[in-house]
Amino acid sequence: MFSLKGKIALVTGANYGIGFAIAKGLASAGAKIVYNGISKTEVDNAKVEYDKLGIDATGYVCDCTDEDAVEKMIDDIRANIGTIDILVNNAGIIKRIPMIEMSAKDFRQVIDVDLNAPFIMAKAVIPDMILKGGGKIINICSMMSELGRETVSAYASAKGGLKMLTKNIASEYGKYNIQCNGIGPGYIETPQTAPLREIQPDGKPHPFDSFIKAKTPAERWGTPEDLIGPAIFLASDASNFVNGHILYVDGGILAYIGKQP
Ligand code: NAP
Ligand code: GCO
């Protein structure tokens, strides 16, 4: 039920971090991996890491916000590897800027990568999924699909939108046996959150690091590997009647009011 043998999975932004761990996990369940990023150096470095693990992975340099480039990549995958069974919309960026200091250009860029790109990617793979009788789309959402906080207005707007795009894809294409679900990671140790975990000049942990541990019943940050089981579940036949759901993988953050100081 959890096997992905014979499946082709495209994971966006999977050079490292959450995308790399999810790709590694889907490969361990039998899927052939295709991934992309924007930096050629990072795509090449990732290829070395996939090879080291014995994972059959093909990397593309492709900006997911560029509709023409995405269509070209999907055509190339179709011609040389096969049609995509599983799409994981993982690529994402964040800009931490107080809202009233943020330019509309910066706000738009975050929306472009975190919301428009998943739309462009899903639109590019759904026709083939319809033809082949089904498919799985997993959108990587966030705590910010539900919660706000200082400095992340664009990111929260995009991730809230991505939650609704997830529900809408499920609503519109569920009849074609396409399941579109989201994973909402809690706070995960990756380059994206590294600035929030930096040791301070006085040797003390970053105040945000202590804040997150106090907000998380598990009392720790998540690791990218914590997302592997949920990703295999949502990519496999085990979730064939799960559609439009956001699976929060957050060590309990959304259930908890937080530890009393
Ligand atoms: P990360 O370490 O910053 O990695 C992001 C990846 O996305 C990189 O491989 C990057 O490619 C790629 N990327 C960025 N813009 C792209 C674009 N326009 N087209 C193609 N690829 C692009 O991020 P992460 O922490 O692993 O996060 C992955 C996803 O999970 C994001 O959507 C993020 O918002 C979400 N998330 C993260 C956390 C967390 O705590 N870390 C929690 C919840 C949700 P290059 O290497 O080529 O630059
Ligand atoms: C932040 C963080 C978060 C996480 C994640 C939480 O600044 O608050 O970067 O937004 O990356 O998305 O689920």
Side-chain angles (χ1 to χ4, degrees):
M1 199 179 250
F2 292 92
S3 171
L4 301 178
K5 270 212 177 74
K7 304 286 184 191
I8 298 171
L10 169 58
V11 186
T12 68
N15 292 335
Y16 43 80
I18 290 174
F20 184 84
I22 288 179
K24 190 173 71 174
L26 299 184
S28 75
K32 191 179 269 198
I33 301 301
V34 187
Y35 68 99
N36 73 310
I38 31 179
S39 148
K40 178 161 173 17
T41 310
E42 295 297 349
V43 170
D44 291 345
N45 289 346
K47 176 68 182 150
V48 173
E49 296 304 313
Y50 285 117
D51 284 349
K52 270 192 213 158
L53 295 169
I55 292 171
D56 179 1
T58 307
Y60 285 83
V61 177
C62 174
D63 182 336
C64 297
T65 64
D66 179 341
E67 194 164 13
D68 293 341
V70 166
E71 276 168 17
K72 221 170 128 216
M73 173 175 71
I74 300 297
D75 287 347
D76 197 90
I77 297 168
R78 191 188 298 108
N80 295 302
I81 303 169
T83 51
I84 290 153
D85 300 285
I86 302 155
L87 166 68
V88 183
N89 275 317
N90 167 78
I93 59 165
I94 190 165
K95 288 178 189 273
R96 300 182 184 97
I97 307 170
M99 197 189 94
I100 59 173
E101 290 165 25
M102 189 169 202
S103 68
K105 186 167 173 254
D106 279 340
F107 192 93
R108 270 193 207 105
Q109 193 194 348
V110 175
I111 301 286
D112 210 23
V113 179
D114 293 357
L115 181 57
N116 288 343
F119 156 75
I120 289 169
M121 293 297 312
K123 191 184 151 187
V125 301
I126 286 171
D128 280 340
M129 288 179 173
I130 292 174
L131 284 177
K132 77 197 293 186
K136 301 276 185 180
I137 299 174
I138 303 171
N139 291 328
I140 304 303
C141 297
S142 167
M143 294 291 87
M144 272 64 215
S145 298
E146 299 293 337
L147 303 170
R149 88 170 185 87
E150 302 80 358
T151 74
V152 298
S153 58
Y155 185 81
S157 305
K159 293 294 187 179
L162 187 57
K163 172 180 72 174
M164 288 315 300
L165 179 65
T166 303
K167 292 177 189 238
N168 213 82
I169 293 171
S171 306
E172 206 164 345
Y173 297 104
K175 63 179 171 230
Y176 298 106
N177 190 31
I178 293 171
Q179 289 85 47
C180 179
N181 292 289
I183 290 178
Y187 278 79
I188 312 293
E189 289 167 346
T190 71
Q192 195 217 66
T193 53
L196 306 175
R197 284 177 285 108
E198 258 169 20
I199 298 292
Q200 300 302 280
D202 62 3
K204 291 202 175 126
H206 194 296
F208 199 86
D209 175 71
S210 320
F211 166 66
I212 283 305
K213 287 176 184 153
K215 279 290 291 174
T216 310
E219 295 186 350
R220 67 169 175 88
W221 286 70
T223 66
E225 282 68 27
D226 285 322
L227 303 165
I228 290 178
I232 293 175
F233 168 63
L234 292 177
S236 68
D237 285 346
S239 60
N240 278 353
F241 204 53
V242 180
N243 213 354
H245 184 77
I246 312 297
L247 175 50
Y248 290 101
V249 184
D250 63 353
I253 292 179
L254 290 177
Y256 188 39
I257 194 168
K259 196 186 291 291
Q260 184 187 310

